[in-house]
Amino acid sequence: MNLVRALLLGGVLYTAPAVVLASLFRGGELRRWCLGAALSPVALGLSVLPMRLMGWTSFRAGAGALGVWTLLALLRLRRAPGRPAGEEARALGVALPLSLLVFLPPLFNSFLRVRSDAWFHAAVEAQVRSLPLPPQDPYYAGMQLQYFWFFHLVLSVFDSVAGIRAFEAMWLFNSAYFALTLLGAWSLSRFAGAGEAGARWAPWLVAAGANPFGWVWIGVNAVRDPEHWHHLARMLPDYVLNLVAWGYTSAALAFSMDKFLVGTAFSWGLALFVWWAACSAEYLETGRIEAALGAGALTAAALMVHTVAGFTLGWAGGLGLLVALALRPSRGATARTAILGACMFAGLLLAYPYLRAVTHGKTDGGLPVPRLNRSMIWTTLWVGAGMLPFAVAGARARWNSGPGGRWLVATCFSLLVVSCLLTLKFGNEGKFMHLSLLLLAALAAEPMREFLASRLRSGAARAGAMAAVFAPTTALVLACVCVTRGRAEEKPYPPEPGPSEARAYAWIKSQTPTGAALLARPGSLEGVVRAERAQVWSESNYAVTWGYPPGSIDPRRRAALGAFGAGLDSVDMEFLKSLGRPVFRVSRDGEGPRIPGLAPVHREGKWVVERLTFAEAK
């Protein structure tokens, strides 16, 4: 990565739309900058999308968008917000140091940038950048991806124009969106009625408020299952999330910052969600139409970036509006409810064509199943144990403070209750809790400060009490994450290739068509990122997750297994030919059988790349 190019062009790609958008909002300087920064990547992506759909390359579309946004930023520069001062500057002084907790670990431990879901997202980004839209699934060559890809479209612009690879872009965006989430919690807490000092506690609760007593489970797990000692000794620090959780819907909930230390679009969704809540609360409290329009824009942005965050925002916010109106009806509240609901619905309509495209052809929409979710109830009570009592106290005070406070209370507890009555695939209902924790932090901040202030006069004593409750689990997990290498997996993921294998993938990347398909050994996911080529089939659960028809997966599985097993028969050859693209097999000597039609085209040490040719029909 060329650092000068990345800093210059990457910085302009992010800040130019932010300047333009911030100039359109009103209110405090910090609020305007935060809303502009939160919406900036989405606005950039929306400006690039039509050009890409018309067939422009990623670089050409990105460069065009860069020029347009730069010009607009220069024209709007005089209307841009100024430097935050006073209370806003003090809030910034809390959020920026805390954001280093997300920025620094991946800086010093490169594995954090490529681990877990980041590998899949980087593979999708390569397809979005290199081929026309809509993208194909990098794990199943030739199949349209049935997963939200707008996030990857934005990443592809930064890759093609600024030279910032997907892994580095996700890390930098996580850092920026973590800071925005912290500031959003502060802003929301203020609109919920917290004082200046109390609102500054909200960012701390977002960063460290989840699972405060998770350290208890280390001993419980070890006593109940002595095998944990073996895992602890062999795989610490990677095993730590399993040790500080007990029956949770998602182990990620054991650590407040988990979603910001993994390459994922959900970190964007968290920031957009909390600022949507802040704009909604502000509108209901003040009646400023600009705040309602901001909530509508944030609704569309969340739906484009992460569908779970976007739809949760919709149903939880809508339910909160109805509950608050039903319990405290008035003519003014009815009008504001209707206007805010209309703005959110307009956001949904804006995102609908994209949502329709990414779900087209699914056999299973992955909708929530109504069912009492005992695991979610337990998770909510234990993960939120440090904040729930204070949030309840805050809810009582906020309920009578005004319509914005009532809506926040109704939305928060509607989200908590309904999420315990739903089940999603693979424990994805845990994402509801991640979003709920942001609202809980805003409600709990002021009551927690008042509780400690009434018992401890010294600020140092109050800080010590907070640290004693919330620091142990967070500090333990964060310290382990900083040095993790993925040993809690069956093998390090993704495995580091040897020099010869790396050169083989580099040759495929530079010398084969971008639309080529790879036959890779079962279990390998190297080629989708290192060669930036889609695999015919991959041994993963994505086919189940995305709801692909089994009939479209089975021929791929058969061909890939045959290429490294019994060979390819006429059915396999016909299927591979039907893909309509060049097919290559990458393998070590002796890994795959000799197959008629497969001819070596490149060799690196023990690694060989072979191209499959098909017999002409007679």
Side-chain angles (χ1 to χ4, degrees):
M1 181 174 69
N2 185 309
L3 189 59
V4 174
R5 175 189 174 192
L7 289 175
L8 179 61
L9 296 181
V12 175
L13 279 170
Y14 186 78
T15 58
V19 168
V20 176
L21 294 168
S23 71
L24 300 176
F25 288 100
R26 297 294 175 263
E29 310 297 307
L30 181 60
R31 172 186 178 275
R32 295 171 66 193
W33 278 123
C34 286
L35 288 171
L39 290 169
S40 171
V42 181
L44 177 66
L46 287 174
S47 65
V48 166
L49 182 57
M51 293 183 276
R52 291 298 313 277
L53 291 175
M54 289 189 298
W56 290 28
T57 65
S58 181
F59 175 80
R60 185 183 175 194
L66 174 65
V68 171
W69 282 111
T70 302
L71 177 60
L72 290 175
L74 292 173
L75 294 174
R76 298 290 298 182
L77 196 57
R78 290 186 178 182
R79 297 179 179 270
R83 182 177 179 179
E87 178 185 350
E88 291 186 331
R90 289 187 287 273
L92 198 61
V94 173
L96 289 184
L98 282 175
S99 66
L100 294 177
L101 297 176
V102 166
F103 176 76
L104 292 178
L107 177 65
F108 296 108
N109 181 1
S110 61
F111 175 76
L112 291 177
R113 302 200 290 269
V114 304
R115 72 186 181 111
S116 189
D117 292 346
W119 197 255
F120 166 75
H121 291 306
V124 175
E125 184 273 333
Q127 297 298 313
V128 171
R129 172 169 38 86
S130 304
L131 296 171
L133 297 179
Q136 67 173 338
D137 191 319
Y139 289 3
Y140 306 102
M143 292 184 64
Q144 181 176 325
L145 180 67
Q146 293 180 10
Y147 182 78
F148 56 84
W149 44 261
F150 185 84
F151 165 68
H152 311 91
L153 175 66
V154 177
L155 296 180
S156 72
V157 175
F158 281 82
D159 194 338
S160 57
V161 175
I164 304 175
R165 295 178 63 236
F167 294 121
E168 282 68 40
M170 286 187 280
W171 158 49
L172 294 173
F173 274 123
N174 276 353
S175 303
Y177 274 112
F178 183 56
L180 291 170
T181 302
L182 298 176
L183 291 167
W186 164 79
S187 180
L188 180 58
S189 185
R190 285 295 275 144
F191 279 109
E196 178 187 346
R200 288 202 301 272
W201 285 46
W204 289 96
L205 293 177
V206 169
N211 197 35
F213 309 113
W215 55 269
V216 171
W217 302 127
I218 296 177
V220 174
N221 275 309
V223 170
R224 288 179 62 91
D225 184 1
E227 186 67 15
H228 280 292
W229 289 113
H230 171 68
H231 294 314
L232 182 62
R234 184 169 60 90
M235 295 187 293
L236 189 74
D238 311 279
Y239 197 69
V240 68
L241 277 183
N242 296 315
L243 287 178
V244 296
W246 181 273
Y248 294 175
T249 297
S250 168
L253 286 164
F255 180 44
S256 296
M257 291 174 279
D258 179 80
K259 293 301 180 182
F260 293 98
L261 287 167
V262 174
T264 171
F266 192 59
S267 61
W268 300 28
L270 288 165
L272 295 169
F273 178 87
V274 73
W275 277 104
W276 159 82
C279 284
S280 299
E282 178 186 359
Y283 170 70
L284 293 170
E285 197 70 37
T286 66
R288 292 173 53 195
I289 191 63
E290 173 263 344
L293 295 174
L298 289 159
T299 299
L303 286 165
M304 297 291 289
V305 165
H306 196 285
T307 51
V308 173
F311 281 118
T312 303
L313 171 158
W315 69 257
L319 186 57
L321 286 171
L322 295 176
V323 170
L325 183 62
L327 296 178
R328 193 66 68 87
S330 71
R331 182 175 298 179
T334 301
R336 291 184 184 181
T337 295
I339 292 172
L340 180 59
C343 289
M344 291 171 57
F345 185 69
L348 172 62
L349 291 180
L350 179 63
Y352 178 76
Y354 163 76
L355 297 173
R356 183 73 182 89
V358 298
T359 57
H360 179 69
K362 281 194 174 185
T363 58
D364 178 5
L367 296 174
V369 177
R371 184 170 59 203
L372 182 64
N373 192 329
R374 292 181 176 84
S375 175
M376 191 66 187
I377 295 173
W378 167 248
T379 303
T380 300
L381 293 174
W382 193 263
V383 169
M387 289 191 288
L388 273 171
F390 298 101
V392 170
R396 290 174 179 171
R398 299 289 79 76
W399 186 259
N400 296 315
S401 67
R406 280 193 294 276
W407 171 82
L408 175 59
V409 172
T411 299
C412 178
F413 288 94
S414 295
L415 178 54
L416 286 171
V417 171
V418 175
S419 64
C420 293
L421 303 176
L422 299 174
T423 300
L424 275 70
K425 281 184 175 181
F426 309 108
N428 271 325
E429 63 270 23
K431 291 185 172 65
F432 297 150
M433 187 64 195
H434 283 288
L435 297 168
S436 300
L437 288 169
L438 302 176
L439 307 185
L440 287 175
L443 287 172
E446 178 72 9
M448 187 178 294
R449 188 197 69 82
E450 292 178 347
F451 174 81
L452 290 176
S454 67
R455 288 158 177 79
L456 301 170
R457 294 183 179 180
S458 166
R462 292 194 292 270
M466 284 279 289
V469 174
F470 293 105
T473 301
T474 300
L476 171 66
V477 177
L478 186 60
C480 292
V481 163
C482 285
V483 293
T484 187
R485 295 301 301 177
R487 289 167 297 176
E489 308 286 345
E490 292 181 5
K491 59 181 181 180
Y493 179 82
E496 289 291 334
S500 298
E501 183 182 4
R503 289 196 299 271
Y505 287 120
W507 183 89
I508 295 172
K509 179 179 177 179
S510 63
Q511 301 298 322
T512 65
T514 54
L518 291 184
L519 288 166
R521 66 187 185 281
S524 172
L525 294 174
E526 296 292 320
V528 295
V529 171
R530 304 194 192 281
E532 295 187 355
R533 299 294 181 267
Q535 294 184 183
V536 172
W537 176 74
S538 67
E539 195 172 21
S540 74
N541 64 353
Y542 285 115
V544 177
T545 306
W546 310 152
Y548 290 137
S552 61
I553 296 296
D554 291 342
R556 288 172 165 76
R557 178 187 300 108
R558 174 188 167 102
L561 294 178
F564 289 86
L568 300 173
D569 60 21
S570 59
V571 175
D572 298 325
M573 295 293 282
E574 282 300 316
F575 167 74
L576 293 172
K577 185 178 181 179
S578 72
L579 293 177
R581 62 193 64 219
V583 178
F584 294 84
R585 183 175 73 174
V586 56
S587 62
R588 288 172 62 98
D589 282 338
E591 260 191 337
R594 292 175 179 257
I595 297 175
L598 269 178
V601 292
H602 186 72
R603 180 179 292 275
E604 289 286 351
K606 294 184 177 181
W607 286 85
V608 60
V609 180
E610 301 163 284
R611 179 165 184 167
L612 183 63
T613 56
F614 304 99
E616 296 293 332
K618 296 181 180 179

